[in-house]
Amino acid sequence: QQQVKQSPQSLIVQKGGISIINCAYENTAFDYFPWYQQFPGKGPALLIAIRPDVSEKKEGRFTISFNKSAKQFSLHIMDSQPGDSATYFCAATLNTGTASKLTFGTGTRLQVTL
Amino acid sequence: EPEVTQTPSHQVTQMGQEVILRCVPISNHLYFYWYRQILGQKVEFLVSFYNNEISEKSEIFDDQFSVERPDGSNFTLKIRSTKLEDSAMYFCASSSRGLTNYGYTFGSGTRLTVV
């Protein structure tokens, strides 16, 4: 029940295209859904996040769409750039206020080609 | 921007040896975490630490693992007798509150290779 499923495993998008990564969760008690970006040899870095009472959040070229009834959320990267090439992880958490943990998806390796 | 610092960046150890991975969390953070990422797989939670004690630990965090905050700045993960399957990237994280939406910051990781 704690799992977060992520797809696709890898994605190749042309420069200027739209990258879409999907995630699904099981635990309806999760109350925060961040996306992390990870470059090789680096730790995950927070990219954008959403709460379940919001259906969409946009920050620059990055948008999260959230469907609470379907227990799914997705990351859209508009006008994808070669610098966006990285591994993207969705995550979910239940913020208890006592050192809450993140449950990560399996990751999507995005390659943006010229 | 404040960073979580991890040392060493890469450690190679023989099976059965003890290793200590070190982390310097962001200075005003009170909550500390270790996560593990086996090559090509997802990031997995190991343990959280607050007020000098473990708040939560995963099934992975068995008796071979321990954590400690030996002074006011360092946070360490010790693996008592390493196994081949402990080979992974280990990430330390810290946060100002026990909430993942408050400055939850990861370090760059320590790549542990057990041979």
Side-chain angles (χ1 to χ4, degrees), chain B residues 16-28:
Chain B
Q17 294 296 304
E18 174 184 286
V19 294
I20 297 176
L21 309 183
R22 302 180 192 280
C23 169
V24 178
I26 293 173
S27 61
N28 62 345

Side-chain angles (χ1 to χ4, degrees), chain A residues 3-4 32 36 38 41-46 51 89 93 95-102 104-107, chain B residues 31 33 35 37 40-45 48-50 55-56 89 91 98-101 104 106-109:
Chain A
Q3 278 192 336
V4 177
Y32 182 68
Y36 282 83
Q38 184 183 31
K42 297 294 185 182
L46 179 64
R51 295 184 186 280
F89 291 95
T93 193
N95 276 307
T96 61
T98 55
S100 302
K101 66 183 181 188
L102 289 160
F104 284 88
T106 49
Chain B
Y31 298 83
Y33 314 83
Y35 287 79
Q37 185 179 29
Q41 298 186 23
K42 67 178 178 179
V43 179
E44 297 176 289
F45 169 79
S48 57
F49 190 86
Y50 170 70
S55 299
E56 185 178 354
M89 195 78 161
F91 293 106
L99 305 172
T100 52
N101 52 331
Y104 207 103
F106 286 87
S108 293

